[in-house]
Amino acid sequence: GLSLGFGYNTVGIGPDMTYVNVNGQFNWQVARKINLSINGGAQIRQFIGSGKSSLISPTFGVALSYYPLQFTAITLSASRGISASYFQDEVNESTTVNVGISQRLFTDYHLSLNAGYGLSSYQATTLAGAPFPGRQDTQAFFGINLSRSFLKRGTLNLSYSKSENSSNASGYGYNSDQIGFSVGYSY
């Protein structure tokens, strides 16, 4: 399949941005227990009133899923995209690689694990340049989630995630540990 998308980012400080995504998608069941999904294209981003020329960036996503048992899934994925940055006069180009495993335990429990690595680079949106030219961050992350269904429509979730960000610009590194709990009911 082919897709075409358009968007507009209103930025509080710095130039607003328009963008066009052009993307092709391909899904294939490689074998009875293996699925492959690929998408790729480009994003053309324009910076309104900044004098900076348009930024054309390749984008992609790929996921390979393997189902060795009826209630087991192993997925390896990678993606690359561009978005408005939280920081003034910058956009963020990010690439991530992720592996995930999910398993049903007994009848009512589901366990999922995921881990990954990412690289983010920041590009200027104005002719004056970015506050930290050439800034690059690397991220490593890990997560675990245990869920249990109850009363046919309810779900309890307990999760833990850990992430670490390292940057070549001082003051942007961090470590994060998060624990979550949620209760859901659908009707």
Side-chain angles (χ1 to χ4, degrees), residues 22-183:
V22 180
N23 213 1
Q25 302 168 341
F26 175 75
N27 295 313
W28 180 33
Q29 185 171 357
V30 178
R32 191 170 59 94
K33 296 183 176 189
I34 300 173
N35 292 335
L36 177 64
S37 175
I38 299 172
N39 67 69
Q43 183 181 98
I44 304 160
R45 190 169 282 261
Q46 295 180 317
F47 311 107
I48 299 171
S50 75
K52 178 103 172 150
S53 60
S54 298
L55 179 64
I56 301 172
S57 296
T59 60
F60 72 83
V62 61
L64 181 65
S65 300
Y66 174 53
Y67 305 93
L69 303 171
Q70 184 178 3
F71 300 108
T72 305
I74 302 168
T75 302
L76 178 63
S77 61
S79 63
R80 184 180 195 284
I82 184 169
S83 61
S85 173
Y86 292 116
F87 303 102
Q88 180 179 342
D89 298 332
E90 295 179 333
V91 291
N92 178 12
E93 292 182 306
S94 61
T95 304
T96 60
V97 177
N98 188 54
V99 64
I101 300 171
S102 65
Q103 174 67 54
R104 186 176 92 172
L105 306 172
F106 311 110
T107 304
D108 298 323
Y109 292 89
H110 287 84
L111 176 68
S112 62
L113 305 166
N114 72 334
Y117 178 81
L119 173 65
S120 297
S121 63
Y122 294 84
Q123 310 294 323
T125 61
T126 64
L127 291 175
F132 297 99
R135 177 180 161 206
Q136 288 193 334
D137 292 6
T138 57
Q139 304 88 29
F141 53 89
F142 168 78
I144 184 170
N145 185 72
L146 179 64
S147 64
R148 184 190 193 290
S149 56
F150 67 94
L151 300 176
K152 295 185 182 179
R153 295 183 179 192
T155 306
L156 295 171
N157 284 301
L158 179 62
S159 62
Y160 169 76
S161 65
K162 180 171 185 61
S163 61
E164 180 178 314
N165 189 79
S166 299
S167 180
N168 64 354
S170 95
Y172 290 97
Y174 65 83
N175 291 312
S176 172
D177 290 285
Q178 298 180 9
I179 296 174
F181 176 76
S182 66
V183 178

